[in-house]
Amino acid sequence: MDDLPGFITVETADHDGLPLSIAWTLNDGSVKHTLIQPDSDWLDDEMVSLGSYSMEELSTMGVSPLDVLQELEQDHFNATLYTAGIADDEAALSRLFDTYGMDPFIELACADSLYPELPAGEWSRARRELFTELGLEPMRPEDEIQVMLALHQRMRLE
């Protein structure tokens, strides 16, 4: 798995891009996943959405955004990580970095760019089919990472 690309995805609240959960791959193909404790500055709006999570769940089971960034930095400093939804993930990660005045130390790229030989839209179609085949949920970061890993293995075998 030496040539395994790094994959990342961030689950956000419905409309405001509040980062709730994050997952990324490690070099050995394992997955790191955690809930994210919302920063108090993110909760100014009374109507803030926490998706399917409760504040108690995020506060007790999640880790601080700074801890998330420190772990990510240890695992992928100056790396390009691949994502299925670059705009959403980029916005959520920007919120994490901006909270601490940090410059991003990773770059995001669309996962389909790993497979230039595929016709346009083929990676997305295969991704959707694999979610169904594996019985996983597209909006869950740990499931998204599993699908991108499985899809990468399939694409490299073909």
Side-chain angles (χ1 to χ4, degrees), residues 10 35 81 86 127 137 148:
V10 183
L35 295 177
L81 299 178
I86 195 164
R127 178 179 158 269
E137 296 179 42
M148 286 192 284

Side-chain angles (χ1 to χ4, degrees), residues 39-143:
D39 185 87
S40 59
D41 290 345
W42 301 349
L43 304 174
D44 289 343
D45 183 2
E46 298 166 5
M47 300 301 290
V48 72
S49 169
L50 299 177
S52 62
Y53 301 102
S54 69
M55 180 56 79
E56 179 181 351
E57 188 175 21
L58 292 173
S59 296
T60 59
M61 295 172 48
V63 299
S64 78
L66 185 57
D67 288 344
V68 169
L69 291 175
Q70 289 171 336
E71 284 284 321
L72 184 58
E73 183 177 35
Q74 287 176 2
D75 295 339
H76 292 294
F77 184 73
N78 281 342
T80 297
L81 299 178
Y82 296 89
T83 177
I86 195 164
D88 293 339
D89 289 336
E90 197 167 59
L93 286 167
S94 288
R95 185 176 248 187
L96 291 174
F97 285 112
D98 291 349
T99 296
Y100 299 100
M102 295 173 68
D103 291 328
F105 49 77
I106 59 169
E107 184 176 328
L108 297 183
C110 289
D112 63 355
S113 69
L114 291 165
Y115 319 101
E117 69 281 1
L118 290 179
E122 180 62 20
W123 184 85
S124 294
R125 183 199 59 74
R127 178 179 158 269
R128 284 189 305 272
E129 288 177 1
L130 196 50
F131 270 110
T132 302
E133 180 183 320
L134 298 175
L136 299 174
E137 296 179 42
M139 299 311 287
R140 296 180 57 120
E142 64 276 24
D143 288 356

